[in-house]
Amino acid sequence: MATVVVPALDSSYGTRSFLTSFSALTLIALIAAGAWVIWSLFKPRPLDTIPTIGGSGPLSSYISSVLFMFRGWDMLQEGYQRHHDGGIFKIPMLDRWMVVLVGRKLSEELRAAPEDVFSLDQAMVDLLHLDFVFGKKVYLNPIQTHLMKTTMTKAIGAFTPDLYHECISAFEEHMPLTDSKEWKAVPCLVTASWLSTKINNRIVVGYPLCRDPDYVDLNINFIVEMFKCRMLFCLFPRFMEPILGHAATNVPSQIRRGMRLLKPVLEDRMRLLEAANGDWSQLPNDMLSWLMASVPKDETLDTMTRRLLGVNVAAIHTIAHTYCHGVFYLAANQELIAPVRKEAEEAIETDGWTKAAMGKMHLLDSFLKEVMRFNGAQAWSLNRIALKDWTFSDGTFIPKGTSIAACATPVHMDPEVYPEPEKFDAYRFYKMAERDGESGSHLAVKTGLDYLPFGHGAHACPGRFFAVNQMKLMIAHLLINYDIELETPGVMPERVWFEAAVRPNPTANILYRKRQT
């Protein structure tokens, strides 16, 4: 029988064959994966039809989102000018597209849309990560916001004298006066933050906690931690927020710090309430007492602390920034000081340091409104997030989950809305009230689609009445007792923009001395 000889397998040939087939399979897989990535990046999306300010591609949009951090005002103004007659554009941010509306018609449609279509509350949770910062129990049941809108607003007249007493104490500590004619320098924004926090907290937690340096420092710096969350969380998936928040921010430790400071105050009030047989009128008339009477029975020290920190975040920084901007404008325009000072002195001579006196300061009100026309906290307003698909009257489709807002500061700088908008005119709204014979329609607290620092409609800032009253109090006290000047007379310190937010120059000093005339 013949022997069949089977040739030995060439091991090198087998290896080459395996590698060749493996390389082919790998190449096919890579080509397929690359095609999927390209398709995913460039496939049509619902927002693609909306014009973009900056880049709109996968890479260019991220570059533009970084540019937006430092050129936010320029990009918003560009969008406003392009769509001046009414339209919609979008701007890339690190973690989202922000769709921005131009014109009264579309802005009113956004404002008037039902809450189950466009939600302010959910927009704030999504943008500022309130679910981590304040917890779901607080943001789902914002009792403190309701109290600001109702009880606090009604009580402004009752506690204005107490605010003034705190104003005296705060100014004496942070801007002490002597008989010297020499100018002293203080950092204006830092000083404004300490002043506003102490004065504001006379009504939030009462004396003596409102003067506790540890408590004041906590409230000033808590917003820094919120901002840290905003910038950190936008780079990672939402499920990682609790891990990152505890590992890379001081929010948890700041909450514990607040609990430590608040606990003895709460215990004292509970003892006082028990001694008074449950008579709530025996407790101090402030936000802390109102919350104690309003929160659910299972409210914890943790959630109470978060509520009070939320009240301060909403109030003190808006007041501090607007006050600081105002001081810079007054110091740069010395001719304004005498008439504003005279009006304040006359009102106080008649009514004392009361809400009634603050209400008579019409020029100061006009001045503050003009300050906020230039320097609203955000260059956009009416921030919402779409909870459902929606189509505007111009046919623009907005898919569920879209962040959206309306132009604010660009409207304030529109010559068709405000003549000579680049000119700072402290008398602008004062003269408008005289012309129309209706002062109430032009007050700083009055909102509208042409004036949006406080928002507009049902969701307008609930604390704006309190904020304007306190700012009047602070500026009136400053002008009656102090002379002020800039380090470079007549030259306004340059403002600082970040994304759509503006704040006073954080390093600029204000010069002060005891009033000489």
Side-chain angles (χ1 to χ4, degrees), residues 401-444:
T402 302
S403 295
I404 192 166
C407 279
T409 306
V411 176
H412 302 163
M413 295 290 110
D414 188 338
E416 295 183 10
V417 179
Y418 294 102
E420 297 182 276
E422 299 296 335
K423 176 185 177 183
F424 183 88
D425 182 3
Y427 289 85
R428 183 184 299 273
F429 298 100
Y430 184 89
K431 290 182 288 189
M432 290 170 67
E434 285 188 331
R435 179 197 66 199
D436 298 342
E438 182 58 53
S439 61
S441 61
H442 298 291
L443 291 174

CSV table of all heavy atoms in Angstrom, one decimal, residues 401-444:
chain,number,residue,atom,x,y,z
A,401,GLY,N,-35.9,68.8,26.2
A,401,GLY,CA,-34.6,68.8,26.8
A,401,GLY,C,-33.7,70.0,26.4
A,401,GLY,O,-32.6,70.1,26.9
A,402,THR,N,-34.2,70.9,25.6
A,402,THR,CA,-33.5,72.0,25.1
A,402,THR,C,-33.4,73.1,26.1
A,402,THR,O,-34.5,73.5,26.7
A,402,THR,CB,-34.1,72.6,23.8
A,402,THR,OG1,-34.1,71.6,22.8
A,402,THR,CG2,-33.2,73.8,23.3
A,403,SER,N,-32.3,73.7,26.4
A,403,SER,CA,-32.2,74.9,27.2
A,403,SER,C,-32.4,76.1,26.4
A,403,SER,O,-31.9,76.2,25.3
A,403,SER,CB,-30.8,75.0,27.8
A,403,SER,OG,-30.5,73.9,28.7
A,404,ILE,N,-33.2,77.1,26.9
A,404,ILE,CA,-33.6,78.2,26.1
A,404,ILE,C,-33.7,79.5,27.0
A,404,ILE,O,-33.9,79.3,28.2
A,404,ILE,CB,-34.9,77.9,25.4
A,404,ILE,CG1,-35.3,79.0,24.4
A,404,ILE,CG2,-36.1,77.7,26.4
A,404,ILE,CD1,-36.4,78.5,23.4
A,405,ALA,N,-33.5,80.6,26.4
A,405,ALA,CA,-33.6,81.9,27.2
A,405,ALA,C,-33.9,83.0,26.2
A,405,ALA,O,-33.8,82.8,25.0
A,405,ALA,CB,-32.3,82.2,27.9
A,406,ALA,N,-34.1,84.2,26.7
A,406,ALA,CA,-34.4,85.4,25.9
A,406,ALA,C,-33.3,86.4,26.1
A,406,ALA,O,-32.8,86.5,27.2
A,406,ALA,CB,-35.7,86.0,26.2
A,407,CYS,N,-32.9,87.1,25.1
A,407,CYS,CA,-31.9,88.2,25.3
A,407,CYS,C,-32.4,89.2,26.3
A,407,CYS,O,-33.6,89.6,26.3
A,407,CYS,CB,-31.7,88.9,23.9
A,407,CYS,SG,-30.5,88.0,22.8
A,408,ALA,N,-31.5,89.7,27.1
A,408,ALA,CA,-31.8,90.7,28.1
A,408,ALA,C,-30.9,91.9,27.9
A,408,ALA,O,-31.4,93.0,27.4
A,408,ALA,CB,-31.6,90.1,29.5
A,409,THR,N,-29.6,91.9,28.3
A,409,THR,CA,-28.8,93.0,28.1
A,409,THR,C,-28.7,93.6,26.7
A,409,THR,O,-28.7,94.8,26.5
A,409,THR,CB,-27.3,92.7,28.7
A,409,THR,OG1,-27.4,92.2,30.0
A,409,THR,CG2,-26.5,94.0,28.7
A,410,PRO,N,-28.7,92.7,25.7
A,410,PRO,CA,-28.7,93.3,24.3
A,410,PRO,C,-30.0,94.1,24.1
A,410,PRO,O,-29.9,95.1,23.3
A,410,PRO,CB,-28.7,92.1,23.4
A,410,PRO,CG,-27.9,91.0,24.2
A,410,PRO,CD,-28.4,91.3,25.6
A,411,VAL,N,-31.1,93.8,24.7
A,411,VAL,CA,-32.3,94.6,24.6
A,411,VAL,C,-32.1,95.9,25.3
A,411,VAL,O,-32.5,97.0,24.8
A,411,VAL,CB,-33.5,93.8,25.2
A,411,VAL,CG1,-34.8,94.7,25.2
A,411,VAL,CG2,-33.8,92.5,24.4
A,412,HIS,N,-31.5,95.9,26.4
A,412,HIS,CA,-31.2,97.1,27.2
A,412,HIS,C,-30.3,98.0,26.5
A,412,HIS,O,-30.3,99.2,26.8
A,412,HIS,CB,-30.6,96.7,28.6
A,412,HIS,CG,-31.4,95.8,29.4
A,412,HIS,ND1,-30.9,95.1,30.5
A,412,HIS,CD2,-32.7,95.5,29.3
A,412,HIS,CE1,-31.8,94.4,31.0
A,412,HIS,NE2,-33.0,94.6,30.4
A,413,MET,N,-29.5,97.5,25.5
A,413,MET,CA,-28.5,98.3,24.8
A,413,MET,C,-29.0,98.7,23.4
A,413,MET,O,-28.3,99.1,22.5
A,413,MET,CB,-27.2,97.6,24.7
A,413,MET,CG,-26.5,97.4,26.1
A,413,MET,SD,-25.9,99.0,26.7
A,413,MET,CE,-27.0,99.2,28.1
A,414,ASP,N,-30.3,98.4,23.1
A,414,ASP,CA,-30.9,98.6,21.8
A,414,ASP,C,-31.4,100.1,21.7
A,414,ASP,O,-32.3,100.5,22.5
A,414,ASP,CB,-32.1,97.7,21.6
A,414,ASP,CG,-32.6,97.7,20.2
A,414,ASP,OD1,-32.4,98.7,19.5
A,414,ASP,OD2,-33.2,96.7,19.8
A,415,PRO,N,-30.9,100.9,20.7
A,415,PRO,CA,-31.3,102.3,20.6
A,415,PRO,C,-32.8,102.4,20.2
A,415,PRO,O,-33.4,103.5,20.4
A,415,PRO,CB,-30.4,102.8,19.5
A,415,PRO,CG,-29.9,101.6,18.7
A,415,PRO,CD,-29.8,100.5,19.7
A,416,GLU,N,-33.4,101.4,19.7
A,416,GLU,CA,-34.8,101.4,19.4
A,416,GLU,C,-35.7,101.2,20.7
A,416,GLU,O,-36.9,101.6,20.7
A,416,GLU,CB,-35.2,100.4,18.4
A,416,GLU,CG,-34.6,100.6,17.0
A,416,GLU,CD,-35.0,99.6,16.0
A,416,GLU,OE1,-35.9,98.8,16.3
A,416,GLU,OE2,-34.4,99.6,14.9
A,417,VAL,N,-35.1,100.7,21.7
A,417,VAL,CA,-35.8,100.5,23.0
A,417,VAL,C,-35.4,101.7,23.9
A,417,VAL,O,-36.3,102.2,24.6
A,417,VAL,CB,-35.4,99.2,23.6
A,417,VAL,CG1,-36.1,99.0,24.9
A,417,VAL,CG2,-35.7,98.0,22.6
A,418,TYR,N,-34.1,102.0,24.1
A,418,TYR,CA,-33.7,103.1,25.0
A,418,TYR,C,-32.8,104.0,24.2
A,418,TYR,O,-31.7,103.6,23.7
A,418,TYR,CB,-32.8,102.5,26.1
A,418,TYR,CG,-33.7,101.6,27.1
A,418,TYR,CD1,-33.6,100.2,27.0
A,418,TYR,CD2,-34.5,102.2,28.0
A,418,TYR,CE1,-34.3,99.4,27.8
A,418,TYR,CE2,-35.2,101.4,28.9
A,418,TYR,CZ,-35.2,100.0,28.8
A,418,TYR,OH,-35.9,99.2,29.6
A,419,PRO,N,-33.2,105.3,24.0
A,419,PRO,CA,-32.4,106.2,23.2
A,419,PRO,C,-31.1,106.4,23.9
A,419,PRO,O,-30.9,106.4,25.1
A,419,PRO,CB,-33.2,107.5,23.3
A,419,PRO,CG,-34.7,107.1,23.6
A,419,PRO,CD,-34.5,105.8,24.4
A,420,GLU,N,-30.0,106.5,23.1
A,420,GLU,CA,-28.7,106.7,23.5
A,420,GLU,C,-28.3,105.6,24.6
A,420,GLU,O,-28.0,106.0,25.7
A,420,GLU,CB,-28.4,108.1,24.1
A,420,GLU,CG,-28.6,109.2,23.0
A,420,GLU,CD,-28.2,110.5,23.6
A,420,GLU,OE1,-29.1,111.1,24.3
A,420,GLU,OE2,-27.1,111.0,23.5
A,421,PRO,N,-28.5,104.4,24.2
A,421,PRO,CA,-28.3,103.3,25.3
A,421,PRO,C,-27.0,103.2,25.9
A,421,PRO,O,-26.8,102.8,27.0
A,421,PRO,CB,-28.7,102.0,24.5
A,421,PRO,CG,-28.3,102.4,23.1
A,421,PRO,CD,-28.7,103.8,22.9
A,422,GLU,N,-25.9,103.6,25.2
A,422,GLU,CA,-24.6,103.5,25.7
A,422,GLU,C,-24.3,104.6,26.7
A,422,GLU,O,-23.2,104.6,27.4
A,422,GLU,CB,-23.5,103.6,24.6
A,422,GLU,CG,-23.6,102.5,23.6
A,422,GLU,CD,-23.3,101.1,24.2
A,422,GLU,OE1,-22.6,101.1,25.2
A,422,GLU,OE2,-23.8,100.1,23.6
A,423,LYS,N,-25.2,105.6,26.8
A,423,LYS,CA,-25.0,106.7,27.8
A,423,LYS,C,-25.6,106.3,29.1
A,423,LYS,O,-26.8,106.0,29.2
A,423,LYS,CB,-25.6,108.0,27.3
A,423,LYS,CG,-25.6,109.2,28.2
A,423,LYS,CD,-26.4,110.4,27.7
A,423,LYS,CE,-26.4,111.5,28.7
A,423,LYS,NZ,-27.2,112.7,28.1
A,424,PHE,N,-24.9,106.4,30.2
A,424,PHE,CA,-25.4,106.2,31.5
A,424,PHE,C,-26.1,107.4,32.0
A,424,PHE,O,-25.6,108.5,32.2
A,424,PHE,CB,-24.3,105.8,32.5
A,424,PHE,CG,-24.8,105.5,33.9
A,424,PHE,CD1,-25.2,104.2,34.2
A,424,PHE,CD2,-25.0,106.5,34.9
A,424,PHE,CE1,-25.7,103.9,35.5
A,424,PHE,CE2,-25.5,106.1,36.1
A,424,PHE,CZ,-25.9,104.8,36.4
A,425,ASP,N,-27.5,107.3,32.1
A,425,ASP,CA,-28.3,108.4,32.5
A,425,ASP,C,-29.1,108.1,33.8
A,425,ASP,O,-30.1,107.4,33.7
A,425,ASP,CB,-29.3,108.8,31.4
A,425,ASP,CG,-30.1,110.0,31.7
A,425,ASP,OD1,-30.0,110.6,32.7
A,425,ASP,OD2,-31.0,110.3,30.8
A,426,ALA,N,-28.6,108.6,34.9
A,426,ALA,CA,-29.3,108.3,36.2
A,426,ALA,C,-30.7,108.8,36.2
A,426,ALA,O,-31.5,108.3,37.0
A,426,ALA,CB,-28.5,108.9,37.3
A,427,TYR,N,-31.0,109.8,35.4
A,427,TYR,CA,-32.3,110.4,35.4
A,427,TYR,C,-33.3,109.7,34.3
A,427,TYR,O,-34.4,110.2,34.2
A,427,TYR,CB,-32.2,111.9,35.0
A,427,TYR,CG,-31.7,112.7,36.1
A,427,TYR,CD1,-30.3,112.9,36.3
A,427,TYR,CD2,-32.5,113.4,37.0
A,427,TYR,CE1,-29.7,113.7,37.3
A,427,TYR,CE2,-32.0,114.2,38.1
A,427,TYR,CZ,-30.6,114.3,38.2
A,427,TYR,OH,-30.0,115.1,39.2
A,428,ARG,N,-32.8,108.7,33.6
A,428,ARG,CA,-33.5,108.2,32.5
A,428,ARG,C,-35.0,107.8,32.9
A,428,ARG,O,-36.0,108.2,32.4
A,428,ARG,CB,-32.8,106.9,32.0
A,428,ARG,CG,-33.5,106.3,30.7
A,428,ARG,CD,-32.8,105.0,30.3
A,428,ARG,NE,-31.4,105.3,29.9
A,428,ARG,CZ,-31.0,105.7,28.7
A,428,ARG,NH1,-31.9,105.9,27.7
A,428,ARG,NH2,-29.7,105.9,28.4
A,429,PHE,N,-35.1,106.9,34.0
A,429,PHE,CA,-36.4,106.5,34.4
A,429,PHE,C,-37.2,107.5,35.2
A,429,PHE,O,-38.4,107.5,35.2
A,429,PHE,CB,-36.3,105.1,35.1
A,429,PHE,CG,-35.7,104.0,34.2
A,429,PHE,CD1,-34.3,103.7,34.3
A,429,PHE,CD2,-36.4,103.4,33.3
A,429,PHE,CE1,-33.7,102.8,33.5
A,429,PHE,CE2,-35.9,102.4,32.5
A,429,PHE,CZ,-34.5,102.1,32.6
A,430,TYR,N,-36.4,108.3,35.8
A,430,TYR,CA,-37.0,109.5,36.6
A,430,TYR,C,-37.8,110.4,35.6
A,430,TYR,O,-38.9,110.7,35.9
A,430,TYR,CB,-35.9,110.2,37.3
A,430,TYR,CG,-36.4,111.4,38.2
A,430,TYR,CD1,-36.7,111.1,39.5
A,430,TYR,CD2,-36.5,112.7,37.7
A,430,TYR,CE1,-37.1,112.2,40.4
A,430,TYR,CE2,-36.9,113.7,38.5
A,430,TYR,CZ,-37.1,113.5,39.9
A,430,TYR,OH,-37.5,114.5,40.7
A,431,LYS,N,-37.1,110.7,34.5
A,431,LYS,CA,-37.8,111.5,33.5
A,431,LYS,C,-38.9,110.8,32.8
A,431,LYS,O,-39.9,111.4,32.4
A,431,LYS,CB,-36.7,112.0,32.5
A,431,LYS,CG,-35.7,113.0,33.0
A,431,LYS,CD,-34.7,113.5,32.0
A,431,LYS,CE,-33.7,112.4,31.6
A,431,LYS,NZ,-32.6,113.0,30.8
A,432,MET,N,-38.8,109.5,32.6
A,432,MET,CA,-39.9,108.7,32.0
A,432,MET,C,-41.1,108.8,32.9
A,432,MET,O,-42.3,108.9,32.4
A,432,MET,CB,-39.4,107.3,31.7
A,432,MET,CG,-38.4,107.2,30.6
A,432,MET,SD,-37.6,105.5,30.5
A,432,MET,CE,-39.0,104.5,30.0
A,433,ALA,N,-40.9,108.7,34.2
A,433,ALA,CA,-42.0,108.7,35.1
A,433,ALA,C,-42.7,110.1,35.1
A,433,ALA,O,-43.9,110.2,35.1
A,433,ALA,CB,-41.6,108.4,36.5
A,434,GLU,N,-41.9,111.1,35.0
A,434,GLU,CA,-42.4,112.5,35.0
A,434,GLU,C,-43.2,112.7,33.7
A,434,GLU,O,-44.3,113.3,33.7
A,434,GLU,CB,-41.3,113.5,35.0
A,434,GLU,CG,-40.7,113.7,36.4
A,434,GLU,CD,-39.8,114.9,36.5
A,434,GLU,OE1,-39.1,115.2,35.5
A,434,GLU,OE2,-39.7,115.5,37.6
A,435,ARG,N,-42.7,112.2,32.6
A,435,ARG,CA,-43.3,112.3,31.3
A,435,ARG,C,-44.7,111.6,31.2
A,435,ARG,O,-45.7,112.2,30.7
A,435,ARG,CB,-42.4,111.8,30.2
A,435,ARG,CG,-43.0,111.8,28.8
A,435,ARG,CD,-42.2,110.9,27.9
A,435,ARG,NE,-42.4,109.5,28.3
A,435,ARG,CZ,-41.6,108.5,27.9
A,435,ARG,NH1,-40.5,108.7,27.3
A,435,ARG,NH2,-41.9,107.3,28.3
A,436,ASP,N,-44.7,110.4,31.8
A,436,ASP,CA,-45.9,109.6,31.7
A,436,ASP,C,-46.9,109.9,32.9
A,436,ASP,O,-48.0,109.5,32.9
A,436,ASP,CB,-45.6,108.1,31.7
A,436,ASP,CG,-44.8,107.7,30.5
A,436,ASP,OD1,-44.8,108.5,29.5
A,436,ASP,OD2,-44.1,106.7,30.6
A,437,GLY,N,-46.4,110.6,33.9
A,437,GLY,CA,-47.2,110.9,35.1
A,437,GLY,C,-47.6,109.6,35.8
A,437,GLY,O,-48.6,109.5,36.5
A,438,GLU,N,-46.7,108.6,35.7
A,438,GLU,CA,-47.0,107.3,36.3
A,438,GLU,C,-45.7,106.7,36.8
A,438,GLU,O,-45.0,106.0,36.1
A,438,GLU,CB,-47.6,106.4,35.3
A,438,GLU,CG,-48.0,105.0,35.8
A,438,GLU,CD,-49.0,105.0,37.0
A,438,GLU,OE1,-50.0,105.7,36.8
A,438,GLU,OE2,-48.7,104.5,38.0
A,439,SER,N,-45.3,107.1,38.1
A,439,SER,CA,-44.0,106.7,38.6
A,439,SER,C,-43.9,105.2,38.8
A,439,SER,O,-42.9,104.6,38.6
A,439,SER,CB,-43.7,107.4,39.9
A,439,SER,OG,-44.7,107.1,40.9
A,440,GLY,N,-45.0,104.5,39.2
A,440,GLY,CA,-45.0,103.1,39.5
A,440,GLY,C,-44.6,102.3,38.3
A,440,GLY,O,-44.0,101.2,38.5
A,441,SER,N,-44.9,102.7,37.1
A,441,SER,CA,-44.6,101.8,35.9
A,441,SER,C,-43.1,101.9,35.5
A,441,SER,O,-42.7,101.1,34.7
A,441,SER,CB,-45.4,102.3,34.7
A,441,SER,OG,-45.1,103.6,34.4
A,442,HIS,N,-42.3,102.8,36.2
A,442,HIS,CA,-40.9,102.9,35.8
A,442,HIS,C,-40.0,102.6,37.0
A,442,HIS,O,-38.8,103.0,37.0
A,442,HIS,CB,-40.7,104.3,35.2
A,442,HIS,CG,-41.4,104.5,34.0
A,442,HIS,ND1,-41.1,103.9,32.8
A,442,HIS,CD2,-42.5,105.4,33.7
A,442,HIS,CE1,-42.0,104.3,31.8
A,442,HIS,NE2,-42.8,105.2,32.4
A,443,LEU,N,-40.5,102.0,38.1
A,443,LEU,CA,-39.7,101.7,39.2
A,443,LEU,C,-38.7,100.6,38.9
A,443,LEU,O,-39.0,99.8,38.0
A,443,LEU,CB,-40.6,101.3,40.4
A,443,LEU,CG,-41.5,102.4,41.0
A,443,LEU,CD1,-42.4,101.8,42.1
A,443,LEU,CD2,-40.6,103.5,41.6
A,444,ALA,N,-37.7,100.5,39.7
A,444,ALA,CA,-36.7,99.4,39.5
A,444,ALA,C,-37.2,98.0,39.6
A,444,ALA,O,-36.7,97.1,39.0
A,444,ALA,CB,-35.5,99.6,40.5
